[in-house]
Amino acid sequence: MSKAVLAAVCTSLAFPSGAALADAGAPPDSTKIQAQSAIIIDALTGDPLFEKLADERRQVASTQKLLTALLVAERGQLDAEVIVEKSDTQVVPSKLGIHPSDCYLRRDLLKALLVCSGNDVARCLARDHSGSVADFAAAMNARAALLGMSSSNFANPSGLTAEGQYSTARDMARLAWLVLRHPVLREIVRTREFEFQFANGTVQPLVNTNRLLRTSPVCEGMKTGFTYAAGRCLICSGTYQERSVIVVVLGSTNSGIWQDSRTLLHWALDLPEEAPATLTAKSQGDS
C-alpha cells in the first residue's frame, strides 16, 4: 500500500468517540486505571473500544518517536549511510552513545531508535532527514496533519519535554494504526532484543524497553515513553485469535504503566489478565 493510499485511508477513519465493539465483557473501571488518559482501538477498523480522557492534550514523551520513525521509513533508502554529526550527540538523557563521524546504516539507527529509544539517535535521524531538528519538527507536524492528528503539535523528534508540544491518546492511536501498516516498522517494534554494532566494531545487546513483549503472551510491541512532565507512557498492540487492538496509555506511574496496559490489552482481546507469558499455538488460533 502506497504512502498516499495509507494517508487517505487513515485520514478517512472516523475514530468516533465512545465504545463501539467491546464484546469481552464489562469494560475496565476507568477509575482503577492509573493513567491520566487512555484509549483502545480496533487495529483493523480504528473503532474505539475503551476511552479515558482520550482527547486530553498531554506530553507523550518517547512514544512520539513512532512519528519520527514513520517519517524516516517513508523517506526510504534505509540501506543508505548516515554520518553522525556533533550536534546529534548534544542531547540528554537516554543516549545510545553514537559519536561524531561514526557511520551507520539508516536501517540500523531506525531499529535502535525504536528498541532502546536513544535520543541521540532520534536527533541524528531527524537531522539526516530534514537538515535540522526544527525543520524535522515541521515535517512531523505536516505528517501529523495528514493523519488527522488535529490535537497534536511536535517540537522535537525525541519526545523530550518542550513548550507547546503535546498530543492526545486518540491522536497517538491514529499514528500507531498507520505504523502497524508499515512492514519495516511493524517488524522492528516487535523486536525483543538485538545486537547493535557500533562504528568502532563494539557490539552491544539492546533489549526492548517494552516489558509487555516479555510478560504478555499477546503483545506485539510498539513504544514506551517517560519524562517527568509526561509520566509513564506506552503504546502497545496485540493480537489474539482473529482480533487485533492498539492500546495507548499516557501519564501512568512507574508500576501502573505495565498493569494498566496489560489490563486493557487483555480485556480488549478477551484474554484473562493473569494469562501466562506464553500461549500454545492452538490457544492462539494457529493451525
Side-chain angles (χ1 to χ4, degrees):
M1 191 180 294
S2 70
K3 174 181 174 181
V5 172
L6 277 172
V9 172
C10 192
T11 301
S12 68
L13 282 177
F15 277 76
S17 60
L21 301 179
D23 58 4
D29 184 348
S30 63
T31 64
K32 295 182 179 179
I33 299 299
Q34 297 180 51
Q36 296 297 309
S37 59
I39 192 171
I40 308 172
I41 65 168
D42 186 294
L44 298 179
T45 66
D47 291 323
L49 310 178
F50 171 88
E51 297 182 24
K52 177 182 178 180
L53 299 177
D55 297 305
E56 181 178 85
R57 292 182 175 181
R58 320 182 37 81
Q59 299 269 338
V60 298
S62 286
T63 61
Q64 72 188 52
K65 287 187 173 92
L66 289 176
L67 181 54
T68 298
L70 181 65
L71 285 172
V72 172
E74 288 181 338
R75 173 66 60 87
Q77 297 182 316
L78 296 182
D79 291 319
E81 294 183 338
V82 178
I83 306 297
V84 180
E85 295 187 359
K86 184 177 181 180
S87 61
D88 302 335
T89 67
Q90 295 173 331
V91 60
V92 293
S94 301
K95 298 172 67 171
L96 178 62
I98 55 178
H99 296 97
S101 300
D102 283 356
C103 180
Y104 298 99
L105 295 184
R106 190 173 290 146
R107 181 185 305 274
D108 293 337
L109 291 179
L110 185 61
K111 193 169 185 179
L113 174 75
L114 293 176
V115 171
C116 79
S117 204
N119 293 327
D120 50 354
V121 175
R123 285 180 65 105
C124 181
L125 288 170
R127 189 263 313 154
D128 173 63
H129 181 281
S130 299
S132 69
V133 168
D135 287 344
F136 188 77
M140 293 175 76
N141 288 317
R143 191 70 182 95
L146 284 176
L147 292 176
M149 298 171 66
S150 58
S151 294
S152 298
N153 188 66
F154 301 102
N156 61 54
S158 63
L160 288 173
T161 304
E163 185 177 356
Q165 179 164 263
Y166 54 83
S167 188
T168 67
R170 195 182 310 277
D171 275 5
M172 295 305 291
R174 183 182 289 273
L175 169 63
W177 187 92
L178 186 55
V179 167
L180 283 183
R181 279 152 180 76
H182 193 288
V184 172
L185 299 181
R186 184 173 64 249
E187 186 63 27
I188 291 176
V189 298
R190 67 193 306 169
T191 300
R192 294 186 179 187
E193 58 183 281
F194 78 103
E195 292 188 338
F196 181 84
Q197 182 170 329
F198 287 91
N200 65 3
T202 302
V203 175
Q204 179 178 329
L206 299 182
V207 178
N208 201 307
T209 55
N210 182 2
R211 294 184 196 174
L212 284 195
L213 278 172
R214 298 179 290 279
T215 61
S216 168
V218 293
C219 181
E220 296 178 321
M222 295 203 66
K223 188 72 191 73
T224 58
F226 170 74
T227 63
Y228 289 112
R232 294 287 176 181
C233 305
L234 178 64
I235 298 175
C236 66
S237 63
T239 299
Y240 183 61
Q241 296 182 342
E242 297 182 356
R243 189 166 203 174
S244 296
V245 298
I246 294 168
V247 176
V248 180
V249 173
L250 304 177
S252 192
T253 63
N254 287 346
S255 60
I257 187 63
W258 311 114
Q259 184 63 48
D260 286 346
S261 300
R262 184 183 175 95
T263 294
L264 295 174
L265 182 64
H266 286 204
W267 169 78
L269 295 174
D270 198 16
L271 189 70
E273 186 177 334
E274 66 278 7
T278 59
L279 291 173
T280 65
K282 182 178 179 180
S283 69
Q284 294 185 64
D286 297 340
S287 58

